[in-house]
Amino acid sequence: MSGIRIALNELRRLTGGVLPKLAMAALVLVPLLYASLYLYANYDPYGRLDKLPAAVVTVDAGATDSEGDERNIGREVTGELLDSGTFQWHGTSAEEAESGVRDDEYSFAITIPRDFSAALLSSGNFEPRQATITLTTNDANNYLSGTIADQVAEQVRATIAEKVGSEAADRFLLGFSTIHTKISEAHDGAGTLAKGAGELRQGQQQLAEGAQRLASGSTELASGLTTLKESTAELPAKTKELAEGASQVAAGNATVAQAGSALAAKSTELQDSLDNVDDQLAQRLREGGLSDSDVEHALGVLGQLRQPIDQADAEVQEASGKLTTLADGAQQVSDGAARLAGATPALVQGIQRASDGAGELADGATQLNTGQQGALSGTTQLTEGATELRDGLSAGLEEIPNPDDPTRSATADTIADPVAVNSVGMASAGTYGAGLAPFFIALATWIGAFVLFLLLRPLSTRALTAGASPLRVALGGWLASAVLGIAQVVVLFGAVTWLVGIDVAHPLGAIGFVVLASLTFTAIVHALNALFGAVGKFLGLVLLVLQLVSAGGTFPWQTIPDALYPLHVVLPMGYVIDGLRHLLYTGASLQILGDVLVLLAYLGGALAASTFAAHKRRVWTVSQLKPELAL
């Protein structure tokens, strides 16, 4: 008897009536009822979060920012939440929110406190403190709603932090622009200062040279005035003597002038007398009987005789005039000498004071020269410092950012949110249900294989009694479950893809892999039932539980406790889930070959175990015959 014939006999046995046929149909639909309904119910829960009621409470009093503008960030955030549509948001009071979360009217509540804006804007006044929002949850309503609320609160916090950080960064960058402008002005001022310092240095250089010449000239002046002072020390006494001598000369000259004047007067009288004599002589000669010509001749002779007297009179008159002039000049010289003698002491004192002042001037000029040299050195340092300041400000100005408004805004946004997540999905499930599909398909396949043997017999008693080979008996007992298992997964896969709407990257590869998983699972459950009988059913249930906790169907398998790692490696469901993920989302890869080999190894091992069980059943005991005979 061949294995196929044994399988067909077992199937005819189970479909011999209406109720058995309905039972077979139910067995085929068990995985469908388990997996497809669950996946349908959880196909896209995140797409329906707008049906989840949530409360938002805002008591923010607002605050004034660093620019003097009134801000109420709490109201802004509340408005954004109410308009977002992410949840069924309700703006309520604190009391209504608390009672609503307690009574399951709201899944969770977010409360924005009174000092929210003030805390967010406190950094602008250099009095920073953190702003807080209060998240109220109640796991008695639903544990996952609390988890979702935590994610929402974190997203709200991140959004607010990004918003406030963007504004703060914008003001920070605007401060850089202001600093750039002021540094630019300072650079221009430093350039002007450097230019002025250079001009000042040139002036200081000229002043230093003048001070040096002044010091040299004042020293020479002091030396000359000192010599003059020494030379004029006896001048008062000499001028006094000169005045006295001039006075004596003036007196003598006055006496001589008086004598000369007296002589001139006498000479004048003599001339007058002689003039009278001429007239008297002419008269007497005429009276004496001389003719006019004789008179004229006599007068001519007399005139010739008078010439020496006339000449002497002229000389006397001239000498008298000169003596008078000399006496007047001598008197003027005497008066001048007297005035000179009177002024000489003051002149000498003035020369002494000038000499002393020139000495002080020389000292002061020397100090001025020394100070000016120091000032020149300081001005040189000032020029160098101003030049370095200008150059330093110029270099620093190039390092200070001065972005335009669009660049500043973009930079502020980047500073506030520096990292963007670019999700490159090598494989994307798309929905929550699609993400769970590999786990529930694998689980439903095992459950389907498990329930088959509630009706199917693992080994055919007739074939055993007929002496069929253990391999044929084992294959015959397994093939019936394999056929029904294939029917189960085909119906399940069709419902999951067509009715639930889960997209499959490679349908043919996926259905082939699911068929291989069903063949493997039916072979394992068949082997357990063939080896252990009724106990095998219990062991199949135990294996189901162990695989539930170790397969990594919901969370990554690496997150399970370390003690369960060996179960994940040994048991087959984890490999089925892994292979389905690759086929549903991305298609087959080299990694799936390992999953296929593991399932084939389990399939071969299970059939070998079934063959061993069939071999053992060829020897009958009395306890075994009773139930078999009853059948």
Side-chain angles (χ1 to χ4, degrees), residues 249-250 253-258 322-332:
V249 171
N253 286 336
T255 302
V256 172
Q258 289 176 0
K322 290 181 179 179
L323 287 175
T324 300
T325 302
L326 177 61
D328 293 338
Q331 186 60 46
Q332 292 176 356

Side-chain angles (χ1 to χ4, degrees), residues 411-475:
T411 304
D413 293 339
T414 303
I415 292 174
D417 187 18
V419 179
V421 178
N422 182 21
S423 297
V424 179
M426 298 182 65
S428 176
T431 63
Y432 179 75
L436 292 178
F439 175 58
F440 282 98
I441 290 174
L443 186 60
T445 302
W446 183 276
I447 293 174
F450 178 80
V451 299
L452 287 176
F453 289 96
L454 296 178
L455 296 178
L456 292 174
R457 293 184 300 183
L459 298 175
S460 172
T461 303
R462 181 179 299 179
L464 290 173
T465 57
S469 69
L471 178 60
R472 291 179 179 179
V473 174
L475 289 175

